[in-house]
Amino acid sequence: MTNEHFQALLSIAGAKPDAEGWSTTEEERLVTLHAANHGVGLTVNRVVATRLQGELVLARTDKGDQFVLVLSDVFAASVEAPKTKTRQAGFR
């Protein structure tokens, strides 16, 4: 993944940087990162905050787990759509 690709991901997720450099996604928007190195894949689910540190991607999940990936090893990412409220049948 290139830096441009990563910045596009943050834009889609509505991520805003804080004072510490972490870009936190909009509420209920979760990111999934897909990385691979030497044929071994790793999927990091439910990411709510990321930070670039040189060529490293630091990722924090909604449970507080933290991952460190090399940007060039990340090959794809997805952003979960926010949950929509469903209307129940009948009158309110």
Side-chain angles (χ1 to χ4, degrees):
M1 180 175 284
T2 64
N3 193 7
E4 181 181 356
H5 189 180
F6 189 76
Q7 294 306 320
L9 168 68
L10 295 180
S11 176
I12 291 169
K16 305 288 185 220
D18 64 13
E20 296 178 357
W22 287 93
S23 294
T24 305
T25 61
E26 290 179 343
E27 192 172 331
E28 296 191 20
R29 302 289 307 248
L30 300 173
V31 173
T32 299
L33 299 173
H34 302 277
N37 189 301
H38 298 288
V40 179
L42 173 68
T43 301
V44 182
N45 295 309
R46 306 186 64 82
V47 174
V48 294
T50 59
R51 184 171 85 183
L52 278 180
Q53 188 172 328
E55 286 298 310
L56 300 178
V57 177
L58 284 66
R60 186 172 60 222
T61 69
D62 61 343
K63 292 182 180 179
D65 298 333
Q66 295 192 30
F67 294 83
V68 179
L69 308 165
V70 177
L71 182 60
S72 61
D73 289 345
V74 180
F75 64 88
S78 61
V79 179
E80 190 175 302
K83 295 178 183 172
T84 58
K85 294 181 180 179
T86 57
R87 292 184 52 178
Q88 296 179 357
F91 297 98
R92 290 189 182 235

